[in-house]
Amino acid sequence: MTTNIPVQSTNVSDLSYISKPIGDLFGELPVNPDKYTRCLLSEDQVGFYKANGYLTQVRVLTDEQCNRILDEYQRFLLWNNNKENSSGKNDAHLLDFPEKEFLYEYHSNQSEDPNQVVTHMLGHWRVSPLFHDLLFMPTITVPTSQLLAALHPSQQTLMPVQFWHDQLFAKPAHQGGQVAWHQDYSYWTRTTPMQHLTVHIALDDQTEENGTVHYVPGSHRWYRNHDGKEGPLPITDIDFKDMDSIKKVLTEEEIQQFQPLPSLLKKGHASFHHPLTVHGSYPNRTSEPRRSAVLNYFAEGTRSDTDEPLLNGIPTIPRGELLNSRFFPLVFDPKWM
């Protein structure tokens, strides 16, 4: 069983040393099991996820919490700054706070096209108390536990959940870019087994005009054989530029089934999706930005499948070893209910 590292002090610059909520976003973790029970999804919601590979419109944040996070969001954006000496990728050096060294990745515009801007980063939970506490919220972790269990071979109803990594995806007004169709686990094969889940939280209302996330129902069943094991589709565009590049690797049957649906998430609502569910988003051409926070989790028992660092700047976990370190804290355990 994963054990979180005891908290000695909240006066640290790297918040990965604090493996529980600091209290800035929602307070402390509940002591009363009923407060976890209230966060459970309905049987219909779990059934929809099992059938389609995703679930949308789950309220996880209040408008006030969203607004506080959006205020914090500004420190990570370079949209209005002089970006000389920047290609838009790997440009954390342009940020103006010393904790930027704790980010795993920072791309002010991963597409590198000034007319298709997508700011994308990982690791901000180590920098910001608000983003740090977000990953522990029971409104997020309890449904995650249910949905990880829903398609797990163990046939449990709830599973212990560990944090994998966070992401921010931000699209500015008028020039916000697309995120090409992909399966998340295509990028995560350095971990095993595949028992992951992604939570996409809308901090602004998402519309078809501003680039809401779209999902391909049933695509969580799209596997490929890799050395005798079932695995994800190959990565076809790591920088989001070619929206439809994934279709080059789909079968005729998959292309016929490729019928994306918009999630149209409301502010403070989240979608939860399987690591093989194909998803993407179109450009933002409205007069307002479209900002989201993404949290990625895995079920306890996940192991490293590489002898390289799992994320930039953190100690290597040798192949075959459990992902047990302060960088992958336990965020929910059914024993707490």
Side-chain angles (χ1 to χ4, degrees):
M1 183 66 66
T2 301
T3 302
N4 286 346
I5 297 171
V7 178
Q8 301 298 323
S9 170
T10 58
N11 186 25
V12 296
S13 56
D14 181 356
L15 300 181
S16 69
Y17 282 99
I18 305 175
S19 297
K20 68 177 185 179
I22 297 167
D24 279 25
L25 184 62
F26 68 96
E28 299 180 353
L29 288 175
V31 176
N32 185 341
D34 288 344
K35 292 189 176 180
Y36 289 106
T37 303
R38 294 172 196 164
C39 300
L40 288 169
L41 300 169
S42 70
E43 289 185 11
D44 286 346
Q45 288 174 306
V46 174
F48 184 93
Y49 175 84
K50 291 170 72 172
N52 295 282
Y54 70 97
L55 176 68
T56 65
Q57 301 298 357
V58 179
R59 181 85 182 197
V60 297
L61 294 173
T62 65
D63 284 357
E64 180 184 1
Q65 288 168 330
C66 286
N67 292 339
R68 292 188 63 204
I69 291 172
L70 286 172
D71 287 342
E72 178 73 355
Y73 217 117
Q74 298 309 310
R75 69 192 294 213
F76 298 102
L77 298 176
L78 296 175
W79 294 342
N80 298 317
N81 293 26
N82 184 340
K83 292 187 284 186
E84 292 182 10
N85 304 318
S86 172
S87 67
K89 293 181 64 177
N90 302 313
D91 51 359
H93 61 281
L94 296 176
L95 295 170
D96 62 358
F97 50 88
E99 298 89 353
K100 61 192 176 188
E101 65 181 292
F102 300 135
L103 298 177
Y104 303 135
E105 294 182 36
Y106 181 80
H107 315 289
S108 63
N109 180 16
Q110 188 155 347
S111 79
E112 300 180 274
D113 180 345
N115 296 310
Q116 299 281 341
V117 177
V118 179
T119 296
H120 178 216
M121 72 203 77
L122 289 74
H124 39 285
W125 76 283
R126 298 174 62 186
V127 173
S128 160
L130 289 175
F131 283 114
H132 173 275
D133 283 10
L134 184 63
L135 61 97
F136 294 94
M137 290 194 68
T139 53
I140 297 168
T141 61
V142 173
T144 294
S145 176
Q146 282 183 278
L147 298 179
L148 281 171
L151 293 171
H152 196 270
S154 67
Q155 298 185 329
Q156 301 176 65
T157 56
L158 291 167
M159 302 190 71
V161 179
Q162 286 179 253
F163 176 63
W164 175 211
H165 67 74
D166 55 359
Q167 296 168 281
L168 292 184
F169 285 97
K171 304 181 181 189
H174 305 297
Q175 298 171 306
Q178 63 197 16
V179 176
W181 303 111
H182 65 284
Q183 293 177 320
D184 286 343
Y185 194 66
S186 299
Y187 299 87
W188 297 343
T189 53
R190 60 192 185 275
T191 61
T192 188
M194 184 187 68
Q195 47 185 13
H196 301 59
L197 185 139
T198 297
V199 185
H200 181 108
I201 305 167
L203 300 173
D204 304 292
D205 284 347
Q206 293 190 6
T207 66
E208 293 201 60
E209 293 73 27
N210 73 7
T212 189
V213 177
H214 285 64
Y215 292 105
V216 179
S219 56
H220 61 306
R221 302 186 187 94
W222 295 0
Y223 293 87
R224 292 295 181 268
N225 190 286
H226 299 274
D227 299 323
K229 296 194 306 181
E230 290 182 334
L233 302 171
I235 296 171
T236 57
D237 185 351
I238 200 166
D239 292 324
F240 313 149
K241 297 175 183 177
D242 184 351
M243 189 72 192
D244 291 321
S245 62
I246 198 172
K247 293 182 178 179
K248 301 173 186 175
V249 300
L250 297 183
T251 65
E252 287 188 16
E253 182 180 6
E254 289 165 347
I255 289 175
Q256 290 177 354
Q257 297 171 358
F258 196 96
Q259 299 181 31
L261 296 176
S263 62
L264 302 175
L265 291 171
K266 295 296 184 181
K267 179 176 181 175
H269 291 67
S271 57
F272 295 72
H273 66 260
H274 186 277
L276 293 185
T277 301
V278 174
H279 60 289
S281 59
Y282 292 102
N284 176 18
R285 292 296 180 257
T286 70
S287 59
E288 299 293 335
R290 198 227 75 176
R291 296 153 295 185
S292 60
V294 174
L295 300 171
N296 302 295
Y297 296 98
F298 54 74
E300 187 181 57
T302 304
R303 298 177 181 272
S304 170
D305 202 28
T306 180
D307 289 317
E308 300 295 323
L310 290 164
L311 296 163
N312 294 330
I314 74 169
T316 298
I317 297 178
R319 188 188 304 269
E321 294 290 322
L322 290 169
L323 272 60
N324 285 349
S325 80
R326 75 174 198 266
F327 301 104
F328 310 111
L330 181 72
V331 296
F332 174 75
D333 192 322
K335 292 180 179 178
W336 301 348
M337 293 181 66

